[in-house]
Amino acid sequence: MKKAILATKIGMTQIFDDNGVLTPVTVLQAGPCVVTAVKTEEKDGYNAVQVGFGDIREKLLNKPQRGAFDKAEVDYKRFVREFRFENAGEYNVKDEIKADIFAAGDRIDATAVSKGKGFQGAIKRHGQSRGPMSHGSKFHRHAGANAMAADPGRVPKGKKMPGQMGNKQITVQNLEVVRVDADKNLILVKGAIPGPKKAMVTVKESCKA
């Protein structure tokens, strides 16, 4: 991996190309990210670049976190992530990674935490079918039988049942970058990306491209 950046999801819109074809896109406020540390094979056992994104007040950080930023002599950041770049040795502390690291036509993988939908039933959570809605059926939106009778007499592992829906880390692979606005640090990605507005999104070059 040679390219990655942290971004904030702004929302979705649509754009038209030169031929008038409409494309739905997700707008990301990508960076600028500042390099807070560079990990090396000799010192740390692996090569990586640690970056920070999003300003945060000093009082919201603990002492070890403040010490790490003070050592790097950079502003305090809300999010800190490591990227194992193949060219990690080319980066230095305080370097900035901006949206122009990507270009139109690039393929990316986007990782974010999906919207939490709370406790949901089996119909909404797993797409199961409902029972008859006529009066007296007493089986409308239940999940149905949970297990067999005497043998084995237990609920099998992996049974699709009601429970917490959403609020999970999801990676959508092989998305296409439609447009990059380097001046405003915006990346327009074709299609949808997990998470609500203002969610933190990790954007990496696609592993399948």
Side-chain angles (χ1 to χ4, degrees), residues 24-124:
V25 295
T26 301
V27 183
L28 300 177
Q29 182 76 47
C33 298
V34 59
V35 177
T36 58
V38 178
K39 303 299 181 69
T40 61
E41 185 75 34
E42 296 77 17
K43 183 178 180 181
D44 305 287
Y46 64 100
N47 296 317
V49 174
Q50 186 184 90
V51 301
F53 173 63
D55 294 332
I56 189 174
R57 290 175 292 166
E58 179 180 354
K59 65 179 292 184
L60 298 179
L61 297 175
N62 57 34
K63 192 171 183 179
Q65 291 172 328
R66 292 196 300 268
F69 290 120
D70 292 339
K71 180 180 178 181
E73 298 181 352
V74 298
D75 295 335
Y76 300 128
K77 299 298 180 182
R78 182 177 299 274
F79 304 106
V80 177
R81 297 291 187 274
E82 279 191 4
F83 298 126
R84 297 205 177 191
F85 288 151
E86 298 173 6
N87 56 342
E90 300 177 4
Y91 288 89
N92 298 310
V93 177
K94 295 184 180 181
D95 286 352
E96 282 192 340
I97 301 177
K98 299 183 178 180
D100 57 7
I101 194 174
F102 291 99
D106 288 351
R107 293 284 178 169
I108 64 168
D109 295 340
T111 302
V113 177
S114 63
K115 291 181 180 179
K117 296 177 173 62
F119 189 96
Q120 299 297 335
I123 292 179
K124 179 170 182 176

Side-chain angles (χ1 to χ4, degrees), residues 7-12 26-29 112 115 192-201:
T8 300
K9 181 177 177 179
I10 297 179
M12 291 196 70
T26 301
V27 183
L28 300 177
Q29 182 76 47
K115 291 181 180 179
I193 289 178
K197 295 179 181 179
K198 300 182 181 180
M200 202 277 288
V201 182

Side-chain angles (χ1 to χ4, degrees), residues 188-204:
L188 276 62
V189 182
K190 182 178 180 180
I193 289 178
K197 295 179 181 179
K198 300 182 181 180
M200 202 277 288
V201 182
T202 303
V203 180
K204 303 179 181 178

Side-chain angles (χ1 to χ4, degrees), residues 97-206:
I97 301 177
K98 299 183 178 180
D100 57 7
I101 194 174
F102 291 99
D106 288 351
R107 293 284 178 169
I108 64 168
D109 295 340
T111 302
V113 177
S114 63
K115 291 181 180 179
K117 296 177 173 62
F119 189 96
Q120 299 297 335
I123 292 179
K124 179 170 182 176
R125 190 183 186 201
H126 301 295
Q128 295 181 358
S129 300
R130 63 169 175 80
M133 297 303 289
S134 57
H135 177 70
S137 72
K138 298 183 180 180
F139 176 63
H140 303 304
R141 295 181 65 90
H142 293 287
N146 289 331
M148 287 63 71
D151 185 23
R154 58 178 172 80
V155 179
K157 291 184 178 180
K159 169 69 177 175
K160 293 182 178 180
M161 301 178 70
Q164 164 69 29
M165 183 178 178
N167 195 32
K168 294 183 179 180
Q169 180 174 293
I170 297 177
T171 299
V172 180
Q173 295 182 326
N174 211 18
L175 296 172
E176 179 185 355
V177 176
V178 179
R179 187 179 300 172
V180 176
D181 190 337
D183 296 332
K184 298 181 180 179
N185 282 311
L186 296 179
I187 297 179
L188 276 62
V189 182
K190 182 178 180 180
I193 289 178
K197 295 179 181 179
K198 300 182 181 180
M200 202 277 288
V201 182
T202 303
V203 180
K204 303 179 181 178
E205 65 177 350
S206 179

